[in-house]
Amino acid sequence: MKEALFFWAAAEGMSLACAPIVFVVFKRLPDRGYSLSKPLGILMVSYMLWAAAVTGLVPNGRGLAFLALLTVAAIGSGILIGSRGEWWKWFQVWWPYIVLVEALLGIVYFTGVFLRSFVPEIIWGEKPFELAFLNSALRAERYPPPDPWLAGYSINYYYFGYVQAATLGQLSGLPASVSFYLMLCLVASMAAVVAFSLSYNLLRLRGWQGNWPTIGGLASAALLVMVGNLEGVFELLARHGIGSQSFYDWVGIYGLQPYPCSAQPQDCSEWYPTASWWWWKATRMGSPWDVQEFPFFSFQFGDLHPHVLALPLTLAAVGLALEFFLESREGPFLAQWLREPWRPIVASMLLGGLGFTDLWALPTFGAAVLGSLALGSWPKRRWGGVLDSAAAVPIVAFPLALLYAPFYFGVERPVSGVAVNQVWEAAARGYPPVNSAVTRPVHFLIFWLPVLWLPLWGAMLEGGAIPRSKEELLWAIGPWALPLSIWTIAVLGDSGLGGTYPAPQGLLGEAHLRWETFNWLTILMLIVFMTVSGKALARHLMKGEGTGFPLGLLVLSLLLLLGAETFFVRDPLGFRYNTVFRFWYHAWTMLAVTGGVFLPSIWTTLADRWRQLSLQFLWGSVTAALAGAALLYPLMVTWDRTDSFQRQGRGLDGLAYLARSDPYEYAAIQWLNRNVKGTPVILEAFGPDFTDFARISSRTGLPTLLGWQGHEIQWRPDSTAILGRPQEIETIYTTANVGEALNLLHKYNVRYVIVGRLEQEVYVQSAPQALRAQREQALAKFNSILEPVFRAGQVVIYRVPSPTQ
């Protein structure tokens, strides 16, 4: 537990250093952005460390981390001294709120630590690459850090989230195997408190007093980090054999059918499902080619992926959007920026850091920030405010590019623009399955109903029934009519009108397949939802009220969902896999915030309008039932992953399991981490992705010749560097020619060669029987040409002499 306290203390120190900066930047928010100082403090300190490590003036390490913290603290202290009177007046009123925020942060963080202690193993999924990047960020003396899975190259990926985790690890003095899951718990807690504060601030700005801002804020935090989709309801029904096979065929969740408990009793040993990885289906409903994640799934699964690391920063960007929305309502904001240039600079640092953490998040939340300027300006200035918002783009973009130039001008992006989502093409080539090319309405409702329920009720009650003017009608239909028109024209231009026989193609074929899959109903629901939300937003804007911001978030969220049905970002996978994965995640984040904001107005409006107790009771009962259904998945997953809390806690070290399962290899990893400094190249066995291959580089951060090849191909648009490496790795291990092996080792500047269990399995035991003796001799050659520096059981680490030796 002391490791968790050290990590928490480091995060709080970074937050405290940044708090005065946030206080003066977010001066229009009632809480002065106090909760935003949590992710922004980590961002600013990590940026200082990264910038110094990029220049090479100061080597990366613990000393640099403390220097970066002191730099931010010095800036914050200077600001605090200049505004101490204003700050003290605010503190005297808001100290109970500070206590509440800190309590919420601690409760979520230490609850996460407690639950993770039951399953601390860093295995499965993409955790090996995430651990490799974190180790590389810790180990590298200069940035960008070397790619641990492609020796000789730097990481060609958005890696700033791992720099943030490494900075916290440096300050707290913890290894990557411990800080890995502590960072995940911290992300969850920061996301919860920022969602809470956004809802709290919005409710205060809407005039709510008393307990309602706190209730709404807690509802937003719960919707973000505690709630799941409704797949858990169907999983529980299937576990107890409720429902026929035809019913589950209609629901269409991939792999879900009544549990054969008599034949497989191990899957039904508790009241909840106990089948292996049953919880995976909630994010792969259409087919295995789906990724429909939501935050609770991310936290329980444990991948420290960029979209998870970016979650607190995406919410901080929403906070910045709210600040800019309020500023633009006061009048021309560009003049204000000239007087206070640090405002766009902080925006550039936040948005640039967000994109550096997860590049997919930059378009969504960059649009939210800059769009908020236009939205706030609209009631008074109409198109003048829109033009000013357009002018704000280069004002924010230029410092952004300057601050993060080594990343944005150095990374090779594997995406190649936006493509039109045409289902008939997927059907023609058989990839992906049609159910993953579009969203069936039942899957849409299973996934989205928990977080759409409150925002849609709020929009419906605030927007009224019928548009009252042409402008209101335009706001109601424009958000969906424009993208659907563009999509229709794009399909016609790309594929023509087409037909349905002999196979669907073109616009007619598209309509045919979307009718067959009922995707037209999904799109119709989105049209209705966007009409209601757009009309409500227009009504607020036309009244000149400053309360339309959450409706703007709702419209943007729905636009992301509609966009994922009609377009996708073209990447190496060639369909909407990552588009749904990332933009649905963004939509869930914003909908969670808006849900808490609308809760008080829904409750009080219904109490006023629905005089009959039975109607109030009906709505309350349906809402409570939906909340219970949405909490069922998290409840069952928690019980399953902890064995109903009967499993013994295993601590926080994600590699401790290796000491039990493979003690010799664990000892080898510990030796490398203790004795090898810098980032010399290692050689280990090569094999498929999502297996134990590249395990040494992952657990040490030392670059290997080639790790997971499929991931490297996705990260690099030019895969020339990868060509030939698998064959050369095999040659080094299997050739009996000493000169050939040494030449290849020197070609890639290999310093250490690993021969362990996996190398024996791949290059000896998997070989034909007639070749095994020869392969044994090939591995034995290392004893004569290299220096053994570590030996335990069947694991040997050899040091490669330099070419001059």
Side-chain angles (χ1 to χ4, degrees):
M1 181 58 74
K2 65 179 181 180
E3 295 93 343
L5 286 170
F6 291 158
F7 202 82
W8 171 80
E12 288 285 53
M14 297 160 93
S15 170
L16 187 63
C18 176
I21 302 172
V22 170
F23 183 82
V24 299
V25 172
F26 294 88
K27 59 185 178 181
R28 291 170 181 83
L29 301 189
D31 76 344
R32 302 298 292 259
Y34 178 79
S35 295
L36 303 182
S37 67
K38 307 300 180 185
L40 288 178
I42 295 172
L43 181 146
M44 289 184 181
V45 174
S46 301
Y47 175 81
M48 295 294 181
L49 178 142
W50 172 80
V54 163
T55 62
L57 297 176
V58 185
N60 177 37
R62 197 175 191 193
L64 180 57
F66 276 102
L67 180 61
L69 175 60
L70 290 174
T71 302
V72 175
I75 297 170
S77 298
I79 293 172
L80 181 61
I81 291 170
S83 59
R84 60 186 179 277
E86 183 183 6
W87 178 86
W88 178 244
K89 289 179 181 178
W90 173 85
F91 178 79
Q92 287 179 308
V93 175
W94 284 83
W95 70 264
Y97 173 85
I98 295 174
V99 172
L100 178 60
V101 166
E102 295 299 338
L104 180 61
L105 181 78
I107 289 169
V108 178
Y109 174 72
F110 286 106
T111 300
V113 169
F114 170 69
L115 293 176
R116 181 50 59 184
S117 69
F118 290 95
V119 277
E121 296 81 8
I122 303 177
I123 50 176
W124 309 117
E126 293 190 302
K127 298 177 191 65
F129 106 67
E130 296 150 6
L131 180 61
F133 279 19
L134 177 54
N135 268 313
S136 184
L138 278 165
R139 178 179 284 276
E141 294 181 356
R142 293 191 60 174
Y143 285 161
D147 188 337
W149 284 357
L150 191 67
Y153 291 82
S154 59
I155 293 175
N156 191 65
Y157 198 57
Y158 22 93
Y159 64 85
F160 191 52
Y162 303 103
V163 174
Q164 295 172 60
T167 304
L168 281 159
Q170 298 277 22
L171 291 173
S172 56
L174 298 174
S177 60
V178 176
S179 58
F180 186 94
Y181 280 133
L182 290 177
M183 185 65 181
L184 187 70
C185 297
L186 182 64
V187 164
S189 59
M190 288 194 298
V193 298
V194 178
F196 168 84
S197 72
L198 288 172
S199 184
Y200 188 99
N201 279 292
L202 283 164
L203 285 166
R204 289 291 296 264
L205 291 167
R206 284 178 153 229
W208 291 95
Q209 300 295 328
N211 292 326
W212 276 118
T214 301
I215 293 171
L218 292 174
S220 289
L223 285 169
L224 183 67
V225 302
M226 285 180 60
V227 163
N229 66 26
L230 301 180
E231 192 275 341
V233 174
F234 297 94
E235 196 78 42
L236 186 62
L237 292 174
R239 151 65 185 89
H240 291 281
I242 301 172
S244 64
Q245 183 64 55
S246 60
F247 169 74
Y248 290 99
D249 290 342
W250 175 80
V251 172
I253 296 175
Y254 184 83
L256 182 62
Q257 56 186 348
Y259 276 50
C261 292
S262 57
Q264 299 174 4
Q266 71 276 9
D267 296 347
C268 310
S269 59
E270 299 287 348
W271 63 268
Y272 51 84
T274 52
S276 177
W277 283 44
W278 64 265
W279 33 262
W280 187 255
K281 294 191 284 291
T283 61
R284 270 75 178 170
M285 288 190 289
S287 80
W289 295 101
D290 285 340
V291 181
Q292 300 150 332
E293 276 197 29
F294 47 92
F296 178 84
F297 173 87
S298 305
F299 298 139
Q300 71 86 14
F301 186 51
D303 269 4
L304 200 63
H305 197 271
H307 73 286
V308 180
L309 288 164
L311 185 56
L313 289 178
T314 62
L315 289 158
V318 174
L320 179 64
L322 176 58
E323 171 69 21
F324 280 3
F325 173 81
L326 297 171
E327 181 180 22
S328 62
R329 289 187 65 248
E330 298 171 359
F333 56 85
L334 293 179
Q336 181 75 10
W337 285 8
L338 289 174
R339 293 189 296 271
E340 299 177 343
W342 59 84
R343 296 179 65 76
I345 291 174
V346 169
S348 300
M349 176 170 279
L350 170 54
L351 291 176
L354 174 59
F356 193 2
T357 303
D358 181 15
L359 199 55
W360 287 82
L362 184 56
T364 297
F365 294 95
V369 169
L370 297 170
S372 67
L373 292 168
L375 203 62
S377 301
W378 184 262
K380 294 181 180 178
R381 304 183 60 219
R382 293 297 197 266
W383 293 107
V386 174
L387 291 175
D388 278 2
S389 302
V393 174
I395 294 174
V396 173
F398 179 73
L400 184 157
L402 195 63
L403 288 167
Y404 296 96
F407 169 71
Y408 285 103
F409 294 106
V411 69
E412 298 178 69
R413 297 166 183 81
V415 300
S416 55
V418 177
V420 182
N421 185 29
Q422 301 187 67
V423 188
W424 74 265
E425 290 183 339
R429 66 175 179 256
Y431 167 84
V434 170
N435 277 347
S436 291
V438 293
T439 307
R440 292 179 55 205
V442 65
H443 293 168
F444 181 87
L445 291 174
I446 288 171
F447 191 92
W448 287 111
L449 194 56
V451 286
L452 273 175
W453 178 257
L454 292 176
L456 289 177
W457 268 98
M460 184 172 61
L461 293 174
E462 293 190 9
I466 301 173
R468 299 173 180 174
S469 66
K470 291 182 179 179
E471 184 178 351
E472 196 171 311
L473 179 63
L474 192 61
W475 277 93
I477 66 174
W480 59 262
L482 182 61
L484 285 180
S485 298
I486 294 172
W487 174 79
T488 303
I489 294 169
V491 173
L492 280 171
D494 184 62
S495 306
L497 188 61
T500 61
Y501 183 83
Q505 59 180 334
L507 185 62
L508 291 177
E510 192 71 12
H512 174 74
L513 286 171
R514 288 179 185 263
W515 180 269
E516 280 192 340
T517 58
F518 291 93
N519 179 249
W520 65 271
L521 191 53
T522 302
I523 293 176
L524 180 60
M525 283 192 288
L526 284 167
I527 288 173
V528 173
F529 298 162
M530 294 179 79
T531 300
V532 171
S533 306
K535 180 161 58 65
L537 175 60
R539 192 153 296 183
H540 279 267
L541 293 177
M542 291 168 64
K543 289 180 181 179
E545 298 174 347
T547 53
F549 183 82
L551 289 162
L553 291 181
L554 175 56
V555 171
L556 177 58
S557 301
L558 294 170
L559 187 60
L560 290 175
L561 302 185
L562 180 63
E565 298 301 314
T566 49
F567 299 94
F568 67 91
V569 177
R570 193 186 299 276
D571 61 13
L573 294 175
F575 71 105
R576 67 176 198 145
Y577 181 98
N578 278 311
T579 301
V580 169
F581 176 19
R582 292 318 223 286
F583 294 142
W584 277 32
Y585 211 80
H586 302 162
W588 186 290
T589 302
M590 292 185 285
L591 289 171
V593 172
T594 58
V597 173
F598 286 121
L599 178 59
S601 61
I602 295 170
W603 186 256
T604 55
T605 301
L606 291 180
D608 290 339
R609 294 184 184 180
W610 291 6
R611 300 291 181 182
Q612 297 181 33
L613 182 61
S614 59
L615 294 178
Q616 296 178 41
F617 178 77
L618 176 63
W619 186 88
S621 298
V622 172
T623 303
L626 180 60
L631 289 169
L632 188 58
Y633 177 88
L635 178 66
M636 294 194 302
V637 170
T638 302
W639 254 247
D640 182 37
R641 299 276 273 165
T642 63
D643 289 340
S644 302
F645 295 98
Q646 300 303 307
R647 180 183 301 173
Q648 185 176 359
R650 302 175 186 178
L652 297 173
D653 189 341
L655 295 183
Y657 77 96
L658 199 62
R660 300 185 297 270
S661 62
D662 197 341
Y664 299 130
E665 190 150 293
Y666 179 78
I669 290 165
Q670 295 296 99
W671 185 90
L672 287 167
N673 283 328
R674 283 195 307 266
N675 295 283
V676 178
K677 307 302 179 184
T679 53
V681 178
I682 65 170
L683 179 72
E684 59 184 314
F686 167 78
D689 293 24
F690 297 103
T691 62
D692 204 27
F693 289 99
R695 84 277 187 204
I696 304 296
S697 56
S698 174
R699 294 159 182 166
T700 63
L702 295 169
T704 188
L705 258 63
L706 184 59
W708 289 3
Q709 185 174 6
H711 278 65
E712 286 292 344
I713 291 172
Q714 290 183 53
W715 296 335
R716 299 179 184 276
D718 182 6
S719 58
T720 304
I722 301 170
L723 298 178
R725 291 201 181 199
Q727 295 77 19
E728 289 177 316
I729 293 170
E730 183 175 1
T731 298
I732 294 172
Y733 277 110
T734 61
T735 183
N737 188 322
V738 170
E740 183 181 24
L742 282 173
N743 286 338
L744 287 173
L745 290 170
H746 292 150
K747 174 184 175 180
Y748 291 106
N749 297 312
V750 175
R751 187 59 174 160
Y752 296 95
V753 175
I754 313 297
V755 177
R757 167 187 52 81
L758 202 54
E759 287 70 29
Q760 291 281 352
E761 290 176 2
V762 173
Y763 300 116
V764 178
Q765 297 167 21
S766 297
Q769 187 67 39
L771 294 178
R772 289 183 185 176
Q774 178 184 334
R775 293 289 182 86
E776 286 279 10
Q777 293 175 358
L779 287 183
K781 70 179 179 291
F782 294 131
N783 288 312
S784 60
I785 63 173
L786 307 179
E787 176 191 0
V789 292
F790 174 87
R791 191 185 299 270
Q794 61 178 338
V795 182
V796 185
I797 301 175
Y798 298 95
R799 181 185 288 123
V800 181
S802 65
T804 57
Q805 288 181 289

